[in-house]
Amino acid sequence: MEVLDLKPVKNKKIIAYMSSKENGRYFQNKDTSRLTDFLKKKDVNFVTVDFQVDMKEFKKTPFAQTLDKLGIPYIQVDIPDYAMGYLYEEIVEKQELQNELFEEYDSMSDKESYKGQSLKNWIDMLSEEIQEKEIFLSLKLRPQWIVKKMLDFANRFENEVVSFVHFVQEDICEDICPQVVENLRDLGAKVISYTKKHTIQNIIF
C-alpha cells in the first residue's frame, strides 16, 4: 500500500505539459500528426491521463496506438481507492445521518420549536462538514495523489531531463488543475499549460 509522500525528484529536471480536452472523443481522432510532432519536438518521455475512461478501451484508440508506435508509455493517474475509502465512508455516514434527521424534521408539526431549531442546526452543520470533506477529497487530496503518481513514474527514467504531458478532462481540470500545477511547481517541476485559460502559445495537438 502506497503512502502519500510528496518529494521532489532528485537529480532530474521535470517538465510537465498540461493539456485539457473537452472529453474522451479527442482520443478517437485518427489524425494524430500534430500530436506526434509535439511529442517528438518536446522529447516527451511519458503521458499521464486523467479522464473517465476504461483503459482497456483506451488502448484501442488512435491516440494510444500513436504513443505505442513512438514508444511512449502512458498511465492513468488517480487517487487509489483505499486512500479515498475512509473519507468516502465518513461522507456517506454523515449523509445518511443527515437524511434521517431531515426526515424527522420534515415530519414535525412545529418546526419553530426548540427541538425543531436544534434539528435544523444539526442538519446545517452536517451539510457544512460534508461539503468540507468533499472539497478536501477532490481539491486537495486527489491532486496530491495525482502529482505523486506523476513524479513516481518520472523517477523511473534515467534521463537528466524528464518531460511528460498530462491530458486531463476539461471539467475535471477546472477544479483541480490549479492545485496540480501548484504542487508540481512546489516540488521543483517546470509546468507549461495548454488549457483554455492559457492560450499564449497557440499549439494545437
Side-chain angles (χ1 to χ4, degrees):
M1 187 180 292
E2 291 179 272
V3 176
L4 181 59
D5 186 17
L6 291 177
K7 294 180 179 178
V9 178
K10 292 182 179 179
N11 303 319
K12 288 183 177 66
K13 179 181 180 181
I14 306 297
I15 303 175
Y17 299 96
M18 306 283 291
S19 177
S20 66
K21 301 298 178 184
E22 185 175 354
N23 52 50
R25 286 196 296 272
Y26 167 76
F27 301 122
Q28 301 293 344
N29 293 340
K30 292 184 178 179
D31 183 2
T32 59
S33 56
R34 287 182 175 178
L35 171 68
T36 299
D37 290 345
F38 180 86
L39 296 173
K40 287 181 176 179
K41 181 180 179 181
K42 301 299 183 181
D43 289 326
V44 171
N45 299 104
F46 68 96
V47 164
T48 57
V49 178
D50 184 11
F51 268 78
Q52 295 169 345
V53 293
D54 181 339
M55 290 306 284
K56 288 183 180 179
E57 294 301 315
F58 179 81
K59 290 178 181 179
K60 302 174 186 177
T61 63
F63 178 91
Q65 290 170 356
T66 297
L67 296 180
D68 289 336
K69 287 177 184 176
L70 295 171
I72 297 175
Y74 53 88
I75 59 169
Q76 190 174 33
V77 288
D78 203 349
I79 181 173
D81 289 340
Y82 63 81
M84 183 173 64
Y86 77 94
L87 263 179
Y88 183 72
E89 285 177 11
E90 282 187 34
I91 291 170
V92 169
E93 286 175 4
K94 288 182 183 294
Q95 286 174 332
E96 289 174 350
L97 175 58
Q98 185 185 44
N99 290 337
E100 290 174 10
L101 294 174
F102 185 77
E103 285 179 11
E104 184 179 350
Y105 175 75
D106 198 43
S107 66
M108 291 182 69
S109 56
D110 186 4
K111 294 182 173 60
E112 297 301 320
S113 65
Y114 177 78
K115 183 180 179 182
Q117 288 302 304
S118 296
L119 275 174
K120 186 179 183 303
N121 289 338
W122 195 357
I123 291 167
D124 291 343
M125 182 187 71
L126 284 169
S127 292
E128 289 178 10
E129 290 179 0
I130 290 167
Q131 186 178 33
E132 285 175 5
K133 288 187 180 296
E134 287 176 338
I135 289 172
F136 175 78
L137 179 61
S138 60
L139 301 185
K140 186 173 179 66
L141 193 61
R142 187 171 183 272
Q144 288 179 342
W145 272 103
I146 287 173
V147 169
K148 174 179 166 53
K149 299 284 185 183
M150 292 170 169
L151 298 184
D152 283 353
F153 205 81
N155 249 326
R156 299 184 182 188
F157 295 85
E158 296 181 358
N159 317 40
E160 290 184 4
V161 178
V162 178
S163 302
F164 70 93
V165 185
H166 180 57
F167 288 90
V168 57
Q169 196 164 302
E170 220 165 68
D171 57 349
I172 297 174
C173 186
E174 289 177 4
D175 292 330
I176 72 166
C177 278
Q179 190 64 42
V180 170
V181 169
E182 182 181 337
N183 287 340
L184 283 169
R185 286 178 174 157
D186 286 347
L187 294 165
K190 178 180 179 182
V191 183
I192 301 167
S193 294
Y194 298 98
T195 66
K196 276 189 172 180
K197 293 181 180 179
H198 303 84
T199 54
I200 297 173
Q201 301 182 53
N202 295 316
I203 298 179
I204 302 171
F205 57 90

